[in-house]
Amino acid sequence: METLAIIPVRGGSKGIPGKNIKLLAGKPLVSYTIEASLKSKYITRTVVSTEDSKIKQVSLSFGAEVVDRPVELAQDETKTAPVLLNVVEQLEQVNYRPDVVVLLQATCPLRDSKQIDEAFELFLNSDCDSVFAARRIGTTHAYWRKKQDGTFDCLYDYRHRPRRQDTDLHLPLFCETGATYIIKTDVLKKVKDFIGEKPELYLDGASGDIDTIDDFNAIERVILERLQGQK
């Protein structure tokens, strides 16, 4: 089985300038995901998709291949699925056709090869067309969301508060971690997304995702603590 891992990284990060190659505990952020992919026993090819020459150089130095990304697919509003399809299409032009595509986001450096392989084994051993990493976020129906202006938005009608047992919202809720997505290539092409029509969840509560500098610093502390514990 040919399994293609795609790590989409671009140079134009707004929240943390140069985020994808910013040093995290002494190593470029993208290197953690490249190394995890290369160590996976199921991934047969690891490719970084980028339009940025510095990211390209760093990615090559850590052992990944690089597929040049068109500038029009490296904009703030660019979605991830078209980037994956672009990589697949470029590789098909040189007669490489993967059976499975694995999306690994560089902003999840705590995800390692063990987690990738566990997710892949779930993919192989269940009747699904895709798998994605998720974490459980609770069972309560009383969820609130903080908005950009600092105010809070209620996700249920608290003026007519339902009993938990009278709604289906008392069932477990899960959130994508963003760390790992696995999908059959033909399904990716059909749905034009990295989650298929019959997905399975791989429960992963320890990946973390870097969106802000606070996230970056928090995950760096975790990595440094792990390194200290290995001494």
Side-chain angles (χ1 to χ4, degrees):
M1 179 182 291
E2 280 296 321
T3 303
L4 172 67
I6 302 175
I7 306 170
V9 284
R10 66 186 187 95
S13 173
K14 292 292 190 294
I16 307 175
K19 173 176 66 178
N20 290 304
I21 54 175
K22 181 177 173 64
L23 294 184
L24 177 72
K27 292 167 48 178
L29 175 59
V30 70
S31 71
Y32 290 89
T33 296
I34 292 172
E35 290 176 343
S37 179
L38 293 174
K39 290 177 182 176
S40 167
K41 58 187 178 182
Y42 295 106
I43 291 171
T44 55
R45 192 168 184 176
T46 299
V47 166
V48 167
S49 167
T50 188
E51 88 299 353
D52 186 274
S53 60
K54 291 181 180 178
I55 294 176
K56 180 175 183 177
Q57 183 179 3
V58 169
S59 299
L60 291 170
S61 72
F62 279 90
E65 298 179 56
V66 173
V67 169
D68 293 325
R69 188 192 305 194
V71 175
E72 60 268 23
L73 289 179
Q75 305 304 309
D76 290 344
E77 65 276 8
T78 301
K79 294 185 177 181
T80 301
V83 175
L84 304 182
L85 290 166
N86 173 262
V87 173
V88 171
E89 289 166 2
Q90 287 199 54
L91 294 179
E92 285 180 342
Q93 291 175 8
V94 292
N95 296 317
Y96 177 78
R97 293 175 174 79
D99 302 291
V100 178
V101 169
V102 180
L103 164 61
L104 300 174
Q105 301 201 93
T107 51
C108 300
L110 298 180
R111 172 250 297 107
D112 58 19
S113 60
K114 179 176 180 290
Q115 291 168 309
I116 295 172
D117 289 346
E118 287 176 349
F120 206 91
E121 285 161 5
L122 177 61
F123 174 75
L124 292 174
N125 296 321
S126 61
D127 183 24
C128 67
D129 61 7
S130 55
V131 165
F132 63 89
R135 60 183 173 86
R136 184 168 172 166
I137 59 173
T139 57
T140 179
H141 65 289
Y143 280 98
W144 291 71
R145 173 176 54 201
K146 189 172 185 178
K147 298 188 289 187
Q148 288 186 340
D149 63 4
T151 62
F152 291 87
D153 186 21
C154 185
L155 301 186
Y156 73 107
D157 184 1
Y158 67 93
R159 298 300 183 195
H160 300 87
R161 186 184 302 269
R163 295 191 311 157
R164 182 175 61 87
Q165 60 268 36
D166 291 337
T167 77
D168 62 0
L169 294 177
H170 68 283
L171 299 173
L173 296 173
F174 301 89
C175 174
E176 297 171 39
T177 67
T180 306
Y181 297 85
I182 304 169
I183 188 167
K184 296 177 181 179
T185 306
D186 57 349
V187 176
L188 168 68
K189 291 179 178 180
K190 177 184 177 183
V191 301
K192 293 180 170 51
D193 192 41
F194 41 86
I195 296 178
E197 297 171 318
K198 192 177 181 182
E200 183 64 70
L201 275 66
Y202 166 68
L203 294 184
D204 161 31
S207 287
D209 187 23
I210 295 176
D211 288 321
T212 67
I213 191 64
D214 288 340
D215 297 334
F216 192 96
N217 293 335
I219 286 180
E220 184 170 53
R221 287 194 294 272
V222 172
I223 293 173
L224 290 173
E225 288 172 3
R226 287 181 178 179
L227 293 173
Q228 187 65 29
Q230 293 172 4
K231 292 182 180 180

